[in-house]
């Protein structure tokens, strides 16, 4: 959202304010004020106009301006009602040189998960990808996946859902009958060994989605199913992006934050790694994201794999 439009919204939120007052305050013409008001209405902001002037009556439920308005993080948001995959779009933007962009969608028609699996993304979710260019070596990039897991866990908890993290990047809700998946994270990147060029962190949150509409294998849940009512996707997305922004700037602190929410530590696990299966007790995590497992034959440090809690 451009700076002036943001200032128009701020003034309207404190409204009512007349067109001439707004024009004076923002140092723009009255017709420019009118154009901004009309453009905001087009985007779903409800702006009343009475005798005392304009006032902001409501903010749209979701969308680029809705999320950018009041967002305390330096991201610009590109919104799509429907798109094949926000990660694919973010990769294209990366190739064009963009940075600090969040691609956000209500629905994905070709969502991708880890290990090239499909990721079901019906309307009502929070499907987003954050594109940025951190100044770190490639080997440190896994820490941003952990940061995303922590950020989304904190946002879910603020929304009243007791989420926790399964290594490396599943966010789950524990129930008496087991664990149900709430969020998946897919990080992609490009660069050279000593420096990342770009990172795309894709976060798929089953927000206001009926778990019955998601594939059974994942044992899915959603924020709305856990809460018994829909979540405010705008506020949830803002909290998620603000937490992620703070964490990405302090990679060294991410591992400690991750430990706080991890369900994997202290559990018996089976991890399918590219080099074979490792079974034992997960005892710790190491920067930038490796799992430390005590097995019968000694300590194993696992950087990547599919983890099952036993
Ligand atoms: C997983 O397999 O658990 C990871 C799923 C990641 C899904 C998200 S939804 C937003 C972004 N766009 C995609 O196509 N995938 C990621």
């Amino acid at each position: 959202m451009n700076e002036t439009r943001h200032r128009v919204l701020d003034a309207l939120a404190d409204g009512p304010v007349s067109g001439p007052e707004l024009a004076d305050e923002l140092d723009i013409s009255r017709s420019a004020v009118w154009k901004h008001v009309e453009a905001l209405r087009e985007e779903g902001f409800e702006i009343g106009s009475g005798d005392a002037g304009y006032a902001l009556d409501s903010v749209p439920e979701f969308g680029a301006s809705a999320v950018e308005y009041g967002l305390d993080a330096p991201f610009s948001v590109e919104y799509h009602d429907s798109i094949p995959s926000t990660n694919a779009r973010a990769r294209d933007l990366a190739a064009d040189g963009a940075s600090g962009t969040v691609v956000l969608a209500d629905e994905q028609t070709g969502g991708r998960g880890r290990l090239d699996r499909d990721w079901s993304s019906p309307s009502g979710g929070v499907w987003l990808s954050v594109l940025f260019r951190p100044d770190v070596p490639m080997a440190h990039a896994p820490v941003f996946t952990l940061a995303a897991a922590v950020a989304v866990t904190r946002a879910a908890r603020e929304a009243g859902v007791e989420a926790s993290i399964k290594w490396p990047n599943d966010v789950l809700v524990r129930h008496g009958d087991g664990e149900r998946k709430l969020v998946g994270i897919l990080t992609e990147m490009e660069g050279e060994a000593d420096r990342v060029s770009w990172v795309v962190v894709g976060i798929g949150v089953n927000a206001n989605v009926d778990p019955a509409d998601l594939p059974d294998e994942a044992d899915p849940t959603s924020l709305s199913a856990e809460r018994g009512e829909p979540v405010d996707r705008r506020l949830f997305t803002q909290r998620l992006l603000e937490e992620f922004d703070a964490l990405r700037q302090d990679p060294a602190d991410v591992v400690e934050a991750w430990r706080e929410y991890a369900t994997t530590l202290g559990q018996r696990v089976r991890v399918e790694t590219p080099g074979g299966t490792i079974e034992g007790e997960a005892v710790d995590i190491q920067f930038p994201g490796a799992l430390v497992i005590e097995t019968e034959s000694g300590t194993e440090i696992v950087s990547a794999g599919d983890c099952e809690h036993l």
Side-chain angles (χ1 to χ4, degrees), residues 84-88 108 110-114 117 119 121 126-129 169-170 181 183-186 202-205:
S85 158
T86 57
N87 264 37
Q108 293 184 123
R112 305 307 304 161
R114 291 174 64 226
R117 295 177 185 135
W119 178 260
S121 322
V126 171
W127 321 120
L128 66 81
S129 302
N169 57 2
D170 282 345
K181 183 157 164 165
V183 177
I185 300 168
L186 176 66
I203 307 174
V205 186

mmCIF file of all heavy atoms in Angstrom, residues 84-88 108 110-114 117 119 121 126-129 169-170 181 183-186 202-205, ligand 1:
data_model
loop_
_atom_site.group_PDB
_atom_site.id
_atom_site.type_symbol
_atom_site.label_atom_id
_atom_site.label_comp_id
_atom_site.label_asym_id
_atom_site.label_seq_id
_atom_site.Cartn_x
_atom_site.Cartn_y
_atom_site.Cartn_z
ATOM 1 N N PRO A 84 -1.857 -20.940 -8.427
ATOM 2 C CA PRO A 84 -1.379 -22.323 -8.312
ATOM 3 C C PRO A 84 -0.585 -22.545 -7.026
ATOM 4 O O PRO A 84 -0.897 -23.436 -6.240
ATOM 5 C CB PRO A 84 -0.530 -22.514 -9.578
ATOM 6 C CG PRO A 84 -1.128 -21.552 -10.570
ATOM 7 C CD PRO A 84 -1.578 -20.362 -9.761
ATOM 8 N N SER A 85 0.481 -21.731 -6.809
ATOM 9 C CA SER A 85 1.308 -21.921 -5.612
ATOM 10 C C SER A 85 1.984 -20.592 -5.258
ATOM 11 O O SER A 85 2.636 -19.976 -6.117
ATOM 12 C CB SER A 85 2.379 -22.989 -5.891
ATOM 13 O OG SER A 85 3.468 -22.841 -5.007
ATOM 14 N N THR A 86 1.849 -20.168 -4.005
ATOM 15 C CA THR A 86 2.499 -18.909 -3.595
ATOM 16 C C THR A 86 4.025 -19.062 -3.635
ATOM 17 O O THR A 86 4.739 -18.106 -3.915
ATOM 18 C CB THR A 86 2.043 -18.468 -2.188
ATOM 19 O OG1 THR A 86 2.333 -19.521 -1.255
ATOM 20 C CG2 THR A 86 0.557 -18.145 -2.159
ATOM 21 N N ASN A 87 4.536 -20.281 -3.360
ATOM 22 C CA ASN A 87 5.994 -20.471 -3.440
ATOM 23 C C ASN A 87 6.483 -20.282 -4.881
ATOM 24 O O ASN A 87 7.518 -19.656 -5.114
ATOM 25 C CB ASN A 87 6.390 -21.867 -2.948
ATOM 26 C CG ASN A 87 6.824 -21.864 -1.489
ATOM 27 O OD1 ASN A 87 6.270 -21.144 -0.687
ATOM 28 N ND2 ASN A 87 7.807 -22.696 -1.152
ATOM 29 N N ALA A 88 5.725 -20.844 -5.846
ATOM 30 C CA ALA A 88 6.141 -20.716 -7.253
ATOM 31 C C ALA A 88 6.134 -19.236 -7.657
ATOM 32 O O ALA A 88 7.058 -18.749 -8.318
ATOM 33 C CB ALA A 88 5.213 -21.524 -8.148
ATOM 34 N N GLN A 108 -4.998 -22.159 -3.088
ATOM 35 C CA GLN A 108 -3.973 -22.573 -4.058
ATOM 36 C C GLN A 108 -4.529 -23.771 -4.831
ATOM 37 O O GLN A 108 -5.139 -24.673 -4.247
ATOM 38 C CB GLN A 108 -2.699 -22.999 -3.363
ATOM 39 C CG GLN A 108 -1.957 -21.885 -2.649
ATOM 40 C CD GLN A 108 -0.643 -22.378 -2.065
ATOM 41 O OE1 GLN A 108 0.415 -21.866 -2.370
ATOM 42 N NE2 GLN A 108 -0.703 -23.381 -1.221
ATOM 43 N N GLY A 110 -2.395 -25.543 -6.906
ATOM 44 C CA GLY A 110 -1.297 -26.487 -7.134
ATOM 45 C C GLY A 110 -0.273 -26.365 -6.020
ATOM 46 O O GLY A 110 0.936 -26.320 -6.277
ATOM 47 N N GLY A 111 -0.763 -26.318 -4.771
ATOM 48 C CA GLY A 111 0.133 -26.137 -3.624
ATOM 49 C C GLY A 111 1.123 -27.303 -3.524
ATOM 50 O O GLY A 111 0.758 -28.452 -3.748
ATOM 51 N N ARG A 112 2.374 -26.986 -3.168
ATOM 52 C CA ARG A 112 3.418 -28.009 -3.068
ATOM 53 C C ARG A 112 3.844 -28.184 -1.623
ATOM 54 O O ARG A 112 3.962 -27.209 -0.878
ATOM 55 C CB ARG A 112 4.671 -27.630 -3.890
ATOM 56 C CG ARG A 112 4.463 -27.326 -5.328
ATOM 57 C CD ARG A 112 3.714 -28.410 -6.083
ATOM 58 N NE ARG A 112 4.335 -29.723 -5.998
ATOM 59 C CZ ARG A 112 3.695 -30.866 -6.249
ATOM 60 N NH1 ARG A 112 2.412 -30.867 -6.565
ATOM 61 N NH2 ARG A 112 4.334 -32.010 -6.169
ATOM 62 N N GLY A 113 4.091 -29.441 -1.245
ATOM 63 C CA GLY A 113 4.608 -29.742 0.078
ATOM 64 C C GLY A 113 6.031 -30.254 -0.006
ATOM 65 O O GLY A 113 6.642 -30.259 -1.083
ATOM 66 N N ARG A 114 6.558 -30.694 1.124
ATOM 67 C CA ARG A 114 7.911 -31.261 1.137
ATOM 68 C C ARG A 114 7.928 -32.543 0.328
ATOM 69 O O ARG A 114 6.905 -33.197 0.140
ATOM 70 C CB ARG A 114 8.340 -31.553 2.578
ATOM 71 C CG ARG A 114 8.562 -30.290 3.392
ATOM 72 C CD ARG A 114 8.840 -30.624 4.845
ATOM 73 N NE ARG A 114 10.065 -31.369 4.989
ATOM 74 C CZ ARG A 114 10.194 -32.464 5.754
ATOM 75 N NH1 ARG A 114 9.164 -32.953 6.413
ATOM 76 N NH2 ARG A 114 11.351 -33.082 5.844
ATOM 77 N N ARG A 117 5.422 -33.497 -2.510
ATOM 78 C CA ARG A 117 4.041 -33.935 -2.321
ATOM 79 C C ARG A 117 3.084 -32.791 -2.669
ATOM 80 O O ARG A 117 3.482 -31.629 -2.686
ATOM 81 C CB ARG A 117 3.811 -34.325 -0.857
ATOM 82 C CG ARG A 117 4.628 -35.543 -0.441
ATOM 83 C CD ARG A 117 4.409 -35.842 1.046
ATOM 84 N NE ARG A 117 5.276 -36.937 1.467
ATOM 85 C CZ ARG A 117 5.989 -36.946 2.599
ATOM 86 N NH1 ARG A 117 5.938 -35.924 3.439
ATOM 87 N NH2 ARG A 117 6.740 -37.976 2.916
ATOM 88 N N TRP A 119 0.025 -30.271 -1.732
ATOM 89 C CA TRP A 119 -0.431 -29.642 -0.487
ATOM 90 C C TRP A 119 -1.819 -29.065 -0.754
ATOM 91 O O TRP A 119 -1.974 -28.123 -1.526
ATOM 92 C CB TRP A 119 0.540 -28.546 -0.032
ATOM 93 C CG TRP A 119 0.076 -27.847 1.206
ATOM 94 C CD1 TRP A 119 -0.555 -26.638 1.277
ATOM 95 C CD2 TRP A 119 0.196 -28.313 2.558
ATOM 96 N NE1 TRP A 119 -0.840 -26.333 2.586
ATOM 97 C CE2 TRP A 119 -0.399 -27.339 3.393
ATOM 98 C CE3 TRP A 119 0.734 -29.462 3.150
ATOM 99 C CZ2 TRP A 119 -0.455 -27.474 4.778
ATOM 100 C CZ3 TRP A 119 0.677 -29.594 4.533
ATOM 101 C CH2 TRP A 119 0.102 -28.608 5.327
ATOM 102 N N SER A 121 -4.982 -26.962 -0.524
ATOM 103 C CA SER A 121 -5.080 -25.564 -0.078
ATOM 104 C C SER A 121 -6.420 -24.944 -0.461
ATOM 105 O O SER A 121 -6.490 -24.034 -1.293
ATOM 106 C CB SER A 121 -3.967 -24.724 -0.716
ATOM 107 O OG SER A 121 -2.751 -25.417 -0.823
ATOM 108 N N VAL A 126 -4.636 -19.794 5.171
ATOM 109 C CA VAL A 126 -3.620 -18.743 5.043
ATOM 110 C C VAL A 126 -2.449 -19.418 4.350
ATOM 111 O O VAL A 126 -1.676 -20.151 4.976
ATOM 112 C CB VAL A 126 -3.220 -18.173 6.419
ATOM 113 C CG1 VAL A 126 -2.015 -17.242 6.291
ATOM 114 C CG2 VAL A 126 -4.386 -17.428 7.063
ATOM 115 N N TRP A 127 -2.370 -19.228 3.045
ATOM 116 C CA TRP A 127 -1.310 -19.833 2.235
ATOM 117 C C TRP A 127 -0.399 -18.680 1.843
ATOM 118 O O TRP A 127 -0.825 -17.772 1.122
ATOM 119 C CB TRP A 127 -1.884 -20.532 0.987
ATOM 120 C CG TRP A 127 -3.177 -21.265 1.231
ATOM 121 C CD1 TRP A 127 -4.368 -21.025 0.624
ATOM 122 C CD2 TRP A 127 -3.408 -22.384 2.121
ATOM 123 N NE1 TRP A 127 -5.337 -21.902 1.090
ATOM 124 C CE2 TRP A 127 -4.776 -22.738 2.010
ATOM 125 C CE3 TRP A 127 -2.607 -23.100 3.003
ATOM 126 C CZ2 TRP A 127 -5.347 -23.778 2.749
ATOM 127 C CZ3 TRP A 127 -3.180 -24.127 3.744
ATOM 128 C CH2 TRP A 127 -4.524 -24.467 3.607
ATOM 129 N N LEU A 128 0.836 -18.690 2.339
ATOM 130 C CA LEU A 128 1.695 -17.538 2.042
ATOM 131 C C LEU A 128 3.152 -17.944 1.892
ATOM 132 O O LEU A 128 3.586 -18.991 2.388
ATOM 133 C CB LEU A 128 1.544 -16.459 3.121
ATOM 134 C CG LEU A 128 2.011 -16.705 4.561
ATOM 135 C CD1 LEU A 128 3.522 -16.506 4.717
ATOM 136 C CD2 LEU A 128 1.298 -15.755 5.500
ATOM 137 N N SER A 129 3.881 -17.096 1.181
ATOM 138 C CA SER A 129 5.329 -17.288 1.003
ATOM 139 C C SER A 129 6.027 -15.966 1.258
ATOM 140 O O SER A 129 5.610 -14.938 0.710
ATOM 141 C CB SER A 129 5.638 -17.758 -0.417
ATOM 142 O OG SER A 129 4.947 -18.958 -0.680
ATOM 143 N N ASN A 169 9.581 -29.158 10.892
ATOM 144 C CA ASN A 169 8.768 -27.996 10.523
ATOM 145 C C ASN A 169 7.280 -28.272 10.429
ATOM 146 O O ASN A 169 6.592 -27.631 9.657
ATOM 147 C CB ASN A 169 9.269 -27.422 9.188
ATOM 148 C CG ASN A 169 9.258 -28.456 8.095
ATOM 149 O OD1 ASN A 169 8.834 -29.587 8.331
ATOM 150 N ND2 ASN A 169 9.697 -28.098 6.923
ATOM 151 N N ASP A 170 6.785 -29.212 11.207
ATOM 152 C CA ASP A 170 5.334 -29.399 11.246
ATOM 153 C C ASP A 170 4.802 -28.728 12.497
ATOM 154 O O ASP A 170 5.365 -28.916 13.584
ATOM 155 C CB ASP A 170 4.966 -30.886 11.341
ATOM 156 C CG ASP A 170 5.090 -31.594 10.010
ATOM 157 O OD1 ASP A 170 5.176 -30.902 8.977
ATOM 158 O OD2 ASP A 170 5.098 -32.829 10.012
ATOM 159 N N LYS A 181 -2.137 -32.319 12.191
ATOM 160 C CA LYS A 181 -1.297 -31.304 11.549
ATOM 161 C C LYS A 181 -2.098 -30.040 11.236
ATOM 162 O O LYS A 181 -3.152 -30.103 10.606
ATOM 163 C CB LYS A 181 -0.698 -31.907 10.266
ATOM 164 C CG LYS A 181 0.258 -30.980 9.549
ATOM 165 C CD LYS A 181 1.211 -31.760 8.668
ATOM 166 C CE LYS A 181 1.905 -30.873 7.667
ATOM 167 N NZ LYS A 181 3.058 -31.495 7.039
ATOM 168 N N VAL A 183 -0.200 -26.979 10.254
ATOM 169 C CA VAL A 183 0.606 -26.104 9.394
ATOM 170 C C VAL A 183 1.712 -26.914 8.731
ATOM 171 O O VAL A 183 2.268 -27.821 9.361
ATOM 172 C CB VAL A 183 1.307 -25.013 10.256
ATOM 173 C CG1 VAL A 183 2.210 -24.122 9.409
ATOM 174 C CG2 VAL A 183 0.304 -24.160 11.016
ATOM 175 N N GLY A 184 2.028 -26.597 7.477
ATOM 176 C CA GLY A 184 3.220 -27.150 6.844
ATOM 177 C C GLY A 184 4.100 -26.013 6.354
ATOM 178 O O GLY A 184 3.600 -24.935 6.008
ATOM 179 N N ILE A 185 5.401 -26.242 6.348
ATOM 180 C CA ILE A 185 6.350 -25.201 5.938
ATOM 181 C C ILE A 185 7.297 -25.771 4.892
ATOM 182 O O ILE A 185 7.839 -26.871 5.076
ATOM 183 C CB ILE A 185 7.148 -24.680 7.158
ATOM 184 C CG1 ILE A 185 6.175 -24.093 8.190
ATOM 185 C CG2 ILE A 185 8.184 -23.634 6.738
ATOM 186 C CD1 ILE A 185 6.798 -23.803 9.537
ATOM 187 N N LEU A 186 7.462 -25.044 3.817
ATOM 188 C CA LEU A 186 8.362 -25.482 2.737
ATOM 189 C C LEU A 186 9.298 -24.331 2.398
ATOM 190 O O LEU A 186 8.869 -23.294 1.898
ATOM 191 C CB LEU A 186 7.542 -25.863 1.498
ATOM 192 C CG LEU A 186 8.339 -26.240 0.250
ATOM 193 C CD1 LEU A 186 9.122 -27.534 0.484
ATOM 194 C CD2 LEU A 186 7.424 -26.393 -0.954
ATOM 195 N N GLY A 202 7.687 -20.849 2.599
ATOM 196 C CA GLY A 202 6.261 -21.056 2.315
ATOM 197 C C GLY A 202 5.575 -21.638 3.539
ATOM 198 O O GLY A 202 6.041 -22.629 4.110
ATOM 199 N N ILE A 203 4.510 -20.991 3.972
ATOM 200 C CA ILE A 203 3.803 -21.415 5.188
ATOM 201 C C ILE A 203 2.342 -21.671 4.817
ATOM 202 O O ILE A 203 1.662 -20.788 4.284
ATOM 203 C CB ILE A 203 3.891 -20.326 6.278
ATOM 204 C CG1 ILE A 203 5.350 -19.937 6.524
ATOM 205 C CG2 ILE A 203 3.224 -20.797 7.569
ATOM 206 C CD1 ILE A 203 5.545 -18.772 7.482
ATOM 207 N N GLY A 204 1.897 -22.883 5.071
ATOM 208 C CA GLY A 204 0.507 -23.233 4.766
ATOM 209 C C GLY A 204 -0.240 -23.491 6.062
ATOM 210 O O GLY A 204 0.048 -24.457 6.777
ATOM 211 N N VAL A 205 -1.177 -22.618 6.401
ATOM 212 C CA VAL A 205 -1.931 -22.748 7.657
ATOM 213 C C VAL A 205 -3.375 -23.122 7.336
ATOM 214 O O VAL A 205 -4.068 -22.389 6.619
ATOM 215 C CB VAL A 205 -1.939 -21.417 8.446
ATOM 216 C CG1 VAL A 205 -2.590 -21.624 9.817
ATOM 217 C CG2 VAL A 205 -0.543 -20.845 8.583
HETATM 218 C C1 LIG B 1 4.683 -29.774 4.046
HETATM 219 O O1 LIG B 1 4.825 -30.710 3.231
HETATM 220 O O2 LIG B 1 4.350 -29.991 5.210
HETATM 221 C C2 LIG B 1 4.916 -28.358 3.600
HETATM 222 C C3 LIG B 1 3.695 -27.695 3.043
HETATM 223 C C4 LIG B 1 3.930 -26.255 2.628
HETATM 224 C C5 LIG B 1 2.693 -25.609 2.030
HETATM 225 C C6 LIG B 1 2.851 -24.142 1.781
HETATM 226 S S1 LIG B 1 1.301 -23.354 1.436
HETATM 227 C C7 LIG B 1 2.122 -21.904 0.947
HETATM 228 C C8 LIG B 1 3.327 -22.338 0.148
HETATM 229 N N1 LIG B 1 2.987 -22.574 -1.235
HETATM 230 C C9 LIG B 1 3.143 -23.851 -1.585
HETATM 231 O O3 LIG B 1 2.919 -24.329 -2.720
HETATM 232 N N2 LIG B 1 3.594 -24.566 -0.539
HETATM 233 C C10 LIG B 1 3.763 -23.735 0.634
#
